[in-house]
Amino acid sequence: MSPILVFGVIATYFLLLLGISYVTSRGSDNATFFTANRQSPWYLVAFGMVGASLSGVTFISVPGEVGNTAWTYLQFVFGNIVGYVVIALVLIPLFYKMNLVSIYEYLKSRFGKNSYLTGAGFFLVSQTIGASFRLFLAALVLQLAFFDNFGIPFWVTVLVTISLIWLYTFRGGIKTIVWTDTLQTSFLLLAVLISILVILDHLSLDMVSGVKMIQQSDLSRVFDWNWKSDRNFFKTFLAGIFITIAMNGLDQNVMQKNLTCRNQKEAQKNIFWFSVSFFFSTLLFLALGVMLYQYAFDQQIVLPERSDEVYPFLALHEFGNLAGIVFLLGIVAAAFSSADSALTALTTSFCVDILDIQKKEKGSKKTRMLVHIGFTLLIFLVIIAFNALNDSSVVSAVFKVAGFTYGPLLGLFAFGLLSKTQVKDRWVPYICILAPIVSFIIDRNAAEWFGGYQFGFEILIVNAALTVIGLKLLKSGKA
């Protein structure tokens, strides 16, 4: 693809985002930035959340991973759906009843200030690393597709990318995000659909024949019953439930969008319809994965060794300009739909949870904008650090460690909701730090200690359980 064509596509895309930002941010204040004045249409939030939930990692990884683990990822998605039901029926009513801006305010009312700051702190750390990692992958694609052709260094690519995100979010915040997510989800799904149509055309298949090909492929196997496997159905299904509750229901980034709906009923409707849309969107990605490998086999194409490079390689080098363009739009949309909302959520959590900005009238808008700039710079520095490591396995390990921080959040909320026991609040931070450390040690030594058993996503459940046990030991004796 011509670098000028790539630049034109990305520039046009960002002009659209800036146009949406201009319209949605007029007359904005802190309430607009944090909650969109609780006026978001539920169907808009539901559709936009599909793109944010899939993310750039999913956009690249899920189709490629089909070559390694077939459709076993779908077991995890089955658990996701159950998790979303729990969010809609348990967490949404709680958060609306308490009229929360930051969901971690619940921990303050339930346990005390130390628990509250611990929950917010874990979110800030994990979301900073997670958002940086996802944007890092997108920046790498943009570097290869455009910036390398002009000898522009990677740090400039990252600076331009993160600056553009800041530019269209700094005024309207979550209100702008709700609308831009809709555009981004549209481009993401369009990229997958056009890639599928291109492959069908190359293989001389119609849609019905394509579906039959996918059904008959060994790569469309869904279930894994081997108890030692990290893809075992029961482990993966349960992990899907708890990871969804922890990384969606207890994540300010995701829940902030739900809390912009007009009322509890609309927020619940949003969750139910989003979960259905998410399920069918994931099916599209898995179907694309089968077709990518079938196409490569049919055309006798040697694929990259890393599964994450399979889809980008074929889209940019084999499918023609149209598919290459929509792939670029898809990866940019997927990465930015998660990065822009993460930046807004980080700003919200820090302002509300750490600075208690709601109690300060004078200078609060200026403070919020400074915090927004601060997190923009922080994410920039973390991405540069990832690149300096120059080792994908190290970067992935850092990202995995960030995932362990959701265990204490799940444990805190589960203990708070399922019991009435009060705890010694001052000791809670130590328990929440110790639990993921012990979980990480267990995860690294599981095969040796447990007869070949390997933990997958379900290590989160162990992490949360250790947190609950620790909180139980901190019982204060107060009813």
Side-chain angles (χ1 to χ4, degrees), residues 101-173:
V101 174
S102 166
I103 62 174
Y104 308 112
E105 293 174 283
Y106 164 77
L107 298 175
K108 184 177 183 179
S109 64
R110 178 63 179 84
F111 298 120
K113 188 175 181 179
N114 287 320
S115 300
Y116 170 43
L117 293 176
T118 299
F122 270 100
F123 165 74
L124 291 170
V125 171
S126 57
Q127 194 63 217
T128 299
I129 295 175
S132 301
F133 184 77
R134 289 187 287 270
L135 201 55
F136 170 67
L137 293 180
L140 284 177
V141 173
L142 292 176
Q143 184 72 25
L144 292 171
F146 176 72
F147 289 94
D148 273 346
N149 293 285
F150 300 95
I152 297 172
F154 182 70
W155 71 268
V156 175
T157 305
V158 176
L159 184 62
V160 169
T161 304
I162 194 73
S163 297
L164 286 169
I165 291 175
W166 177 84
L167 197 60
Y168 73 81
T169 60
F170 83 101
R171 289 187 185 274

Side-chain angles (χ1 to χ4, degrees), residues 48-350:
M49 281 176 60
V50 173
S53 297
L54 290 172
S55 83
V57 177
T58 305
F59 184 78
I60 292 176
S61 297
V62 170
E65 185 61 21
V66 167
N68 299 324
T69 58
W71 277 28
T72 54
Y73 180 71
L74 202 58
Q75 302 173 124
F76 180 72
V77 177
F78 291 146
N80 293 161
I81 302 304
V82 177
Y84 287 125
V85 172
V86 174
I87 291 171
L89 298 181
V90 178
L91 295 178
I92 290 290
L94 172 68
F95 296 152
Y96 266 86
K97 181 181 178 181
M98 297 183 68
N99 195 31
L100 301 181
V101 174
S102 166
I103 62 174
Y104 308 112
E105 293 174 283
Y106 164 77
L107 298 175
K108 184 177 183 179
S109 64
R110 178 63 179 84
F111 298 120
K113 188 175 181 179
N114 287 320
S115 300
Y116 170 43
L117 293 176
T118 299
F122 270 100
F123 165 74
L124 291 170
V125 171
S126 57
Q127 194 63 217
T128 299
I129 295 175
S132 301
F133 184 77
R134 289 187 287 270
L135 201 55
F136 170 67
L137 293 180
L140 284 177
V141 173
L142 292 176
Q143 184 72 25
L144 292 171
F146 176 72
F147 289 94
D148 273 346
N149 293 285
F150 300 95
I152 297 172
F154 182 70
W155 71 268
V156 175
T157 305
V158 176
L159 184 62
V160 169
T161 304
I162 194 73
S163 297
L164 286 169
I165 291 175
W166 177 84
L167 197 60
Y168 73 81
T169 60
F170 83 101
R171 289 187 185 274
I174 196 65
K175 183 178 179 180
T176 298
I177 299 295
V178 167
W179 286 90
T180 56
D181 274 1
T182 303
L183 178 71
Q184 291 162 335
T185 298
S186 300
F187 279 125
L188 188 152
L189 295 179
L190 183 65
V192 178
L193 288 171
I194 289 181
S195 296
I196 288 174
L197 292 175
V198 167
I199 295 173
L200 287 174
D201 182 60
H202 277 84
L203 297 177
S204 300
L205 297 173
D206 58 24
M207 192 65 73
V208 174
S209 302
V211 171
K212 287 182 179 177
M213 180 195 74
I214 292 169
Q215 289 175 334
Q216 294 168 1
S217 173
D218 291 336
L219 293 178
S220 59
R221 175 180 57 84
V222 175
F223 299 103
D224 183 343
W225 305 108
N226 178 8
W227 75 273
K228 289 185 177 181
S229 170
D230 62 354
R231 292 280 172 168
N232 171 268
F233 170 76
F234 297 105
K235 293 193 292 185
T236 310
F237 177 73
L238 286 173
I241 296 173
F242 288 100
I243 282 182
T244 298
I245 295 170
M247 299 185 73
N248 289 272
L250 305 180
D251 187 298
Q252 178 67 22
N253 183 10
V254 178
M255 291 307 294
Q256 189 169 357
K257 296 172 186 175
N258 294 310
L259 296 177
T260 67
C261 292
R262 293 184 177 96
N263 52 55
Q264 176 187 316
K265 271 191 176 180
E266 290 203 358
Q268 289 174 311
K269 196 185 297 184
N270 154 55
I271 290 290
F272 287 131
W273 280 104
F274 155 70
S275 62
V276 173
S277 303
F278 174 73
F279 177 79
F280 285 105
S281 298
T282 304
L283 279 181
L284 273 180
F285 276 93
L286 293 170
L288 173 63
V290 174
M291 298 179 75
L292 289 173
Y293 284 96
Q294 184 60 44
Y295 174 84
F297 176 79
D298 185 77
Q299 302 292 315
Q300 297 183 330
I301 297 171
V302 178
L303 293 174
E305 291 185 9
R306 292 181 59 190
S307 62
D308 284 357
E309 297 176 4
V310 169
Y311 185 24
F313 173 77
L314 292 175
L316 295 173
H317 300 291
E318 298 290 336
F319 292 166
N321 279 344
L322 176 61
I325 288 169
V326 293
F327 170 79
L328 280 175
L329 284 172
I331 184 60
V332 171
F336 290 176
S337 64
S338 54
D340 55 16
S341 58
L343 183 57
T344 302
L346 287 165
T347 302
T348 300
S349 179
F350 194 85

Side-chain angles (χ1 to χ4, degrees), residues 411-442:
L412 281 167
F413 276 87
F415 189 82
L417 291 169
L418 298 176
S419 77
K420 295 183 179 180
T421 305
Q422 289 295 328
V423 300
K424 297 173 182 175
D425 180 55
R426 68 181 181 277
W427 295 104
V428 168
Y430 300 101
I431 292 296
C432 291
I433 291 171
L434 188 61
I437 293 174
V438 174
S439 300
F440 186 73
I441 294 171
I442 292 172

Side-chain angles (χ1 to χ4, degrees), residues 403-408 435-436 439 458-468:
F404 278 89
T405 60
Y406 283 95
S439 300
E458 80 278 9
I459 192 65
L460 175 79
I461 303 172
V462 175
N463 195 349
L466 290 171
T467 304
V468 169

